[in-house]
Amino acid sequence: MIEALIENVRGIGRRTIDRVWRMGVAAHFFVLVFLHSGPSFRRFHLIIREIFSAGVLSLIIILVSGLFVGMVLGLQGYETLQTYGAEESLGVLVSLSLVRELGPVVAALLFASRAGSAITAEIGLMKATEQIAAMEMMAVDPIARVVAPRFWGAVISMPLLAALFSAMGVLGGYLVGVVLIGVDAGSFWSQMQAAVDFKEDVLNGVIKSVVFGVAITIIALFEGYDAPPTAEGVSRATTRTVVTSSLAILGLDFVLTAFMFRGV
Amino acid sequence: MQRATLDLWVGIFVVAGIVAVLFLALKVGNLGGFDNSETYEIRASFQNIGGLKARAPVKSAGVVVGRVAEIGFDSKSYEASVTLKLDARYPFPRDSSASIMTSGLLGEQYISLDAGGEEKMLVNGDTLKITQGAVVLENLIGQFLYNKNDSQTDSAEPVQ
């Protein structure tokens, strides 16, 4: 009885130590990526290649989702605002919710599942097929050659994708609100411009998306680099990437929002 | 994939992203409003500013002519001191008056600037002398109830 209890407590302790140890390794990995970023900037085509696979290939899902999220916001917002006779504020509702929250967060969630999982699977497979060990044998630093370009490629892509998401969303809201339902176009845009502040809203949204980009990419890279070199290990690491980075995005979003929009 | 095609796609992507940021800044946000044109600042003290916030519009005849730059508290007169940033294209006479209004019944508060008749114009750093603070809805309701109570007792007396 006592023995079983002690064994349980020991299990909790072991798991805690494992988690903390893993976080330490991840932080060390993060610092290493920064320290080894120099060569990838000198060979910028490596980063361009990664911007292509992380950013350009995510364009379609981001643009289409942005458009539909904006259109749904337009419909739902109109339904509610109409009750108060304030349907001219539709532009404000659509643009503020997109620029402040939905743009960065939903784009980051899509990015995590579209590009983050691809990064993890790619690096995990490279490790499983011993390509990374081969690089080390040839005295090529795998962090500088494989990891750092992917990091910067994804970090550069993320804010651009979030901005495109928000812009498409506003256009979607315009399509539904003004073109379809018939809210006055002048007050739609003018109320939006009066309410949305560049520094307070747009810039903070961009900052959010940069932070999310760093978080997603470092999680994806670390999970891939740390994955057991088996088929099962890579598949688990990919799943963990999506789950962990989605949770990280939502948690970070709360913290950032609490700092940015406190009492403004 | 060919290097050139790759570069082209990434170029298109980056340009589209920057265009999206500019769209959010210029068309959705308020960058490129008064911020880059010339302005002059004037001050006004109010007894009560209600829910007025920095960056609220300053309107004259319903047209936005400036924005609230700063809101402070004067600890000598116990009044709110509000700094207004007005567009230099619109000069106002020195005896203009400012009052805090609400757009709609529950809308945002703004400052309404009514031009006076004096020949001299306001210059940077001037203070408005005639101001009227915000109408606080609670006070109004209180007054209304008080008055109503009064008139009821008045009308009740002759009956007795």
Side-chain angles (χ1 to χ4, degrees), chain B residues 3 7 17-18 21 29 39 43 50 52 60-62 65 68-69 73 85 94 106 110 150 157:
Chain B
R3 176 94 171 261
D7 286 356
I18 292 170
V21 174
T39 56
R43 264 190 295 278
L52 192 75
S60 187
V65 295
V68 173
F73 184 70
K85 214 173 223 174
R94 289 187 64 171
L106 300 165
Y110 65 94
D150 262 10
E157 271 172 347

Side-chain angles (χ1 to χ4, degrees), chain A residues 56-142:
Chain A
V56 178
L57 294 182
S58 309
L59 265 180
I60 291 181
I61 187 172
I62 292 280
L63 292 181
V64 173
S65 315
L67 188 69
F68 277 100
V69 167
M71 278 160 52
V72 168
L73 272 178
L75 275 177
Q76 294 281 15
Y78 181 79
E79 283 295 315
T80 313
L81 288 173
Q82 190 196 26
T83 332
Y84 304 101
E87 54 265 29
E88 267 79 26
S89 307
L90 189 65
V92 181
L93 182 125
V94 170
S95 61
L96 275 187
S97 36
L98 276 166
V99 167
R100 281 185 179 179
E101 289 297 332
L102 288 176
V105 172
V106 178
L109 289 174
L110 290 172
F111 187 73
S113 34
R114 165 67 186 75
S117 57
I119 289 174
T120 307
E122 198 180 3
I123 292 184
L125 271 176
M126 278 178 140
K127 207 182 159 195
T129 51
E130 296 181 336
Q131 294 180 45
I132 289 188
M135 277 184 188
E136 275 168 350
M137 288 290 291
M138 293 187 290
V140 176
D141 183 359

Side-chain angles (χ1 to χ4, degrees), chain B residues 67-109:
Chain B
R67 292 204 178 268
V68 173
E70 210 184 315
I71 295 173
F73 184 70
D74 187 352
S75 50
K76 287 198 188 84
S77 62
Y78 300 108
E79 282 187 334
S81 75
V82 177
T83 312
L84 312 178
K85 214 173 223 174
L86 301 183
D87 194 320
R89 284 177 299 174
Y90 309 120
F92 279 89
R94 289 187 64 171
D95 60 342
S96 300
S97 65
S99 44
I100 297 179
M101 305 279 211
T102 310
S103 51
L105 188 60
L106 300 165
E108 209 186 21
Q109 288 191 304

Side-chain angles (χ1 to χ4, degrees), chain A residues 197-199, chain B residues 25 29-39 55 67 85 87:
Chain A
D197 186 63
F198 176 69
K199 238 171 76 188
Chain B
N30 53 4
L31 202 71
F34 286 109
D35 293 315
N36 40 14
S37 59
E38 275 188 39
T39 56
R55 296 204 52 80
R67 292 204 178 268
K85 214 173 223 174
D87 194 320

Side-chain angles (χ1 to χ4, degrees), chain A residues 45 48-49 51-52 55-56 59 95 157 160-161 163-164 166-167 189 192-193 196-198 202, chain B residues 1 3 6-7 9-10 13-14 16-18 20-21 23-31 55:
Chain A
H45 69 95
I48 287 185
R49 208 186 172 78
I51 295 180
F52 182 81
V56 178
L59 265 180
S95 61
S157 305
L160 298 174
L161 288 173
L164 281 166
S166 301
W189 290 112
M192 187 191 292
Q193 281 165 7
V196 178
D197 186 63
F198 176 69
V202 178
Chain B
M1 193 179 278
R3 176 94 171 261
L6 209 82
D7 286 356
W9 272 108
V10 172
F13 169 58
V14 172
I18 292 170
V21 174
F23 170 78
L24 292 178
L26 300 175
K27 187 79 185 167
V28 176
N30 53 4
L31 202 71
R55 296 204 52 80

Side-chain angles (χ1 to χ4, degrees), chain A:
Chain A
M1 173 66 193
I2 299 279
E3 297 247 318
L5 196 71
I6 289 178
E7 188 50 44
N8 273 341
V9 175
R10 196 177 283 147
I12 294 173
R14 204 182 301 129
R15 273 197 294 272
T16 313
I17 292 171
D18 273 359
R19 293 275 155 79
V20 175
W21 182 82
R22 233 175 105 76
M23 274 176 81
V25 175
H28 182 232
F29 180 76
F30 187 39
V31 174
L32 272 185
V33 170
F34 261 92
L35 290 181
H36 291 77
S37 293
S40 51
F41 277 100
R42 280 196 292 280
R43 296 171 67 192
F44 202 70
H45 69 95
L46 288 177
I47 295 185
I48 287 185
R49 208 186 172 78
E50 297 311 325
I51 295 180
F52 182 81
S53 65
V56 178
L57 294 182
S58 309
L59 265 180
I60 291 181
I61 187 172
I62 292 280
L63 292 181
V64 173
S65 315
L67 188 69
F68 277 100
V69 167
M71 278 160 52
V72 168
L73 272 178
L75 275 177
Q76 294 281 15
Y78 181 79
E79 283 295 315
T80 313
L81 288 173
Q82 190 196 26
T83 332
Y84 304 101
E87 54 265 29
E88 267 79 26
S89 307
L90 189 65
V92 181
L93 182 125
V94 170
S95 61
L96 275 187
S97 36
L98 276 166
V99 167
R100 281 185 179 179
E101 289 297 332
L102 288 176
V105 172
V106 178
L109 289 174
L110 290 172
F111 187 73
S113 34
R114 165 67 186 75
S117 57
I119 289 174
T120 307
E122 198 180 3
I123 292 184
L125 271 176
M126 278 178 140
K127 207 182 159 195
T129 51
E130 296 181 336
Q131 294 180 45
I132 289 188
M135 277 184 188
E136 275 168 350
M137 288 290 291
M138 293 187 290
V140 176
D141 183 359
I143 292 194
R145 177 63 182 76
V146 174
V147 176
R150 281 176 175 71
F151 177 75
W152 289 109
V155 168
I156 292 169
S157 305
M158 184 58 229
L160 298 174
L161 288 173
L164 281 166
F165 187 96
S166 301
M168 280 312 278
V170 171
L171 287 181
Y174 171 81
L175 270 181
V176 166
V178 177
V179 180
L180 214 67
I181 298 180
V183 175
D184 180 49
S187 48
F188 182 86
W189 290 112
S190 68
Q191 289 214 15
M192 187 191 292
Q193 281 165 7
V196 178
D197 186 63
F198 176 69
K199 238 171 76 188
E200 213 61 69
D201 301 316
V202 178
L203 215 58
N204 276 344
V206 173
I207 291 171
K208 269 187 181 177
S209 58
V210 172
V211 174
F212 295 160
V214 171
I216 295 166
T217 321
I218 209 69
I219 290 170
L221 289 168
F222 178 70
E223 289 289 358
Y225 209 74
D226 193 49
T230 58
E232 198 197 356
V234 174
S235 98
R236 278 200 179 171
T238 313
T239 311
R240 260 208 312 270
T241 295
V242 177
V243 174
T244 318
S245 46
S246 305
L247 289 177
I249 291 161
L250 296 172
L252 279 171
D253 182 49
F254 173 73
V255 174
L256 288 173
T257 308
F259 274 106
M260 285 169 175
F261 302 108
R262 184 173 48 183
V264 177

